[in-house]
Amino acid sequence: MKFSLDAFHSQLSPSFNSIEPAFASAVVGLSGGMDSIVLLHALSELKKQSKLDFEFRALHVNHGLQQEAEQWQEHCEQICRQLCVGFTSVSVSVDINTGSVSGGNSNSTAGLENAAREARYEAFQQELKAGEVLLLAHHKDDQMETLLLRLMRGSGSRGLSSIPRSRTVGEGHLLRPLLDFTLAELQQYADEQQLQWVQDPSNQDQRFDRNFCRHSLLPMIETRWPGYRDSWSKTITLAEESETLLCDLARIDLINVETESKSVLRVDKLLLLSNARRRNVLRYWLALLELPELGWNLLQQLAGEILLAEEGALLVCPGFQLRSFKGCVHALTQMDDFRPKESQKSRLWNISETKQIELTDNGSLNTQAVNGKGLSLINISHLQIKYRQGGEFMRLAGRPGKSLKKIFQESGVEPWLRNRIPLLYVNDQLVCIPDLGCSEEYVARAGEPGLIISWTRPGLEVS
């Protein structure tokens, strides 16, 4: 369809009406390129015609990657002054060393394109206020490029759904109202309105996969199949429908495999599912936890090897880890082996004066005064807080003496917590393991004042 104010307004209204709760204002992501300038200009024209019932402002993200970056920012500010639109700019730092721009070697986590995109969206999220909608100028040709790139990556229905029209971002919402218009249609409007925009020279660099698609592959495809955009758009719609159905199925399966903790699933119930359904519910579960999407190889490894492995299997993922224990799979934050600092290896705790003590990067210890149980307070005013070194031995009240390793195993203590559990000593003798019990010699007898000591764990499970 030809891009016009009426056509744009007809696409804009249904998108806005679908947002709940209703928003109060909008933010236009303004790069200074032709498509974002068209979006800003069209909104301004609709505002003049009293066809918009919300206010909007422009936000420019300065990546600092090109010599002309400051000039682009000044151009965006000048355009906003001419259109009487509020303007904000944000400078971001992009780690150029995180990836390569060599053709064929870029991936979803590395490369200049992706590093810049991540920095840009982080800025959007930080700048967007509650109740605001972020408007971005992605168009139909962007959609085609994305579909082709994701097809080359071997994406499933979620990836082939391509660029979503809307989603939440930060405290607000994101909309892309130009997805039904082609680059040529936007270009025609820009020329007719004599708009001025900036040209990013990196957009011509075909070492970038997207630029190679834009300047070489897609023009070749259009020569042979002029209507490819319409047929590919149907593919995107079908992929969206398939993804919706898969999510519906995953919600049903998740009810059967979940536990009281949303970061823990039951392995036995997962293994009752087919491989495809198992992968599907695991992918859905990780998305609910807002964790990075696993690639095909890691998802296969999780659905197969990790769930079928013996206790303690570990899968290290980008930014988090998955561990199996006692018939469950746990989603945990990325953590290194716990090694307390030298100053924290042995710490004195005055329990007569301090009822709670914070532990460095390891939660806290809390006390509750009781009678006839817990740790006896007879002749005890101080405890030493230490951590596992190996070879510890203890006789819990009413039980035979055992090694600390055996006590942890029998008590079902998660392996990733065993080196973190604070151990309490009197005169270098282990007298209490918080939440597990006290030694026979130091347990409070009937009528004696005692202390129940509990450990508030650090937040290691993904919440």
Side-chain angles (χ1 to χ4, degrees), residues 325 330 408 411-419 421 457 461:
F325 181 66
H330 300 251
F408 282 167
S411 301
V413 176
E414 296 91 333
W416 54 91
L417 293 177
R418 293 175 186 175
N419 288 338
I421 293 182
R457 303 177 176 190
E461 290 193 345

Side-chain angles (χ1 to χ4, degrees), residues 103-114:
N105 292 327
S106 58
N107 57 54
S108 61
T109 58
L112 188 58
E113 283 182 298
N114 294 296

Side-chain angles (χ1 to χ4, degrees), residues 6 30 36 40 57 88 94 119 149 157 230 260 294 309 338-339 392 407:
D6 288 340
L30 186 65
S36 67
L40 185 71
R57 60 189 177 94
T88 304
V94 179
L149 289 169
S157 59
D230 291 336
E260 292 182 358
L294 298 183
F338 180 70
R339 292 185 176 87
E392 294 88 353
I407 292 173

Side-chain angles (χ1 to χ4, degrees), residues 18 20 34 57 61 70 80 110 146 160 176 218 263 268 331 370 372 377:
S18 66
E20 292 290 344
M34 184 271 291
R57 60 189 177 94
V61 178
E70 294 302 320
C80 287
T146 300
L160 297 182
R176 297 181 172 95
L218 290 177
S263 61
D268 61 338
V370 293
L377 292 179

Side-chain angles (χ1 to χ4, degrees), residues 333-348:
T333 58
Q334 192 68 278
M335 65 181 104
D336 298 321
D337 290 338
F338 180 70
R339 292 185 176 87
K341 297 178 180 178
E342 197 65 36
S343 61
Q344 302 296 323
K345 287 183 177 180
S346 181
R347 184 177 176 186
L348 197 61

Side-chain angles (χ1 to χ4, degrees), residues 33-34 66 68 72 101 103 112-113 139 145 183 187 197-217 219:
M34 184 271 291
Q66 302 285 348
E68 302 90 343
W72 297 344
V101 298
L112 188 58
E113 283 182 298
H139 46 74
E145 294 163 8
L183 177 64
Q187 178 82 55
W197 59 90
V198 299
Q199 298 281 2
D200 184 347
S202 68
N203 287 337
Q204 305 300 317
D205 187 348
Q206 294 197 40
R207 290 178 299 170
F208 292 104
D209 290 343
R210 183 172 291 274
N211 290 341
F212 178 68
C213 289
R214 180 179 304 160
H215 299 297
S216 294
L217 284 182

